[in-house]
Amino acid sequence: DEIARLSRLVDGLLAIARAENVVVEPVEVAVDVVIRDRAAAWRPVAEERGVGLTTGCHSPVRASLGEGHLEQILDNLLANALDAVPSGGQVRVSAGLTGPGARIVVADDGPGMSPQQQEAAFRRFATSSPGGAGLGLAIVHRLVTSNGGAAALSDTPGGGLTVTVDLPVAQPDRVRRPSPAVPGWD
């Protein structure tokens, strides 16, 4: 168990380091297709834990971000939600278009987070889960922002946590650079 925990910690730190130090070459991503694929991959875990996992995308949704980034974002969000939600709970992933881009919402009916926990959740090593590394939401935030998007946490109506991810729509000529906060980059 300890080796698995340390392996996840190292993998998480490497994912953050890569997101901070790589020039993102955006590609057009079929958000609705990736959501269905990642939900299918996580459904056995949800079923084993007695948690309902549903998706909702009423039309094709496209976004522009680094290859593989959306899969990593969704994997972290689903892992966190499935860890937090007790048996009998629900996790719902949906996507749609907004004026400036695509919006992905992962909502659960678990215990949620206090306002203080929500404020700190995107920082490395901030965790409210015993045994958690505190990297999942930090990875999500870094990947989302490195692709020109935004991520936010809020309470789910009726209880739980909702993560909202806004991503830019596909723009073929757009190339993102790492944030200026990364040493050695302009």
Side-chain angles (χ1 to χ4, degrees):
D1 286 344
E2 187 63 13
I3 290 172
R5 187 187 72 77
L6 289 172
S7 178
R8 286 190 305 273
L9 179 67
V10 169
D11 289 345
L13 289 171
L14 287 171
I16 290 174
R18 278 189 221 103
E20 288 177 343
N21 293 307
V22 172
V23 175
V24 176
E25 191 67 43
V27 295
E28 185 175 305
V29 176
V31 173
D32 51 314
V33 172
V34 174
I35 286 174
R36 283 192 298 273
D37 176 60
R38 299 318 309 146
W42 283 95
R43 197 156 280 117
V45 175
E47 289 171 357
E48 180 179 300
R49 296 179 183 182
V51 175
L53 175 58
T54 59
T55 62
C57 299
H58 301 295
S59 60
V61 178
R62 303 255 185 262
S64 181
L65 65 163
E67 191 168 346
H69 287 187
L70 183 56
E71 290 85 350
Q72 196 167 9
I73 290 165
L74 288 169
D75 284 345
N76 279 292
L77 293 176
L78 289 169
N80 282 358
L82 291 171
D83 283 345
V85 175
S87 181
Q90 294 289 318
V91 175
R92 178 163 173 77
V93 185
S94 60
L97 294 173
T98 64
R103 175 167 286 169
I104 300 166
V105 177
V106 178
D108 68 55
D109 61 0
M113 290 182 172
S114 70
Q116 296 81 11
Q117 290 171 322
Q118 288 182 24
E119 189 175 310
F122 289 129
R123 291 195 301 249
R124 292 177 201 175
F125 308 115
T127 183
S128 58
S129 169
L135 292 174
L137 289 175
I139 293 168
V140 167
H141 187 260
R142 191 64 198 135
L143 287 171
V144 169
T145 58
S146 72
N147 282 284
L153 303 176
S154 60
D155 294 332
T156 301
L161 184 69
T162 296
V163 183
T164 303
V165 173
D166 288 314
L167 296 168
V169 293
Q171 298 174 356
D173 296 332
R174 195 192 79 180
V175 176
R176 298 283 307 158
R177 298 181 60 89
S179 71
V182 177
W185 293 94
D186 298 317

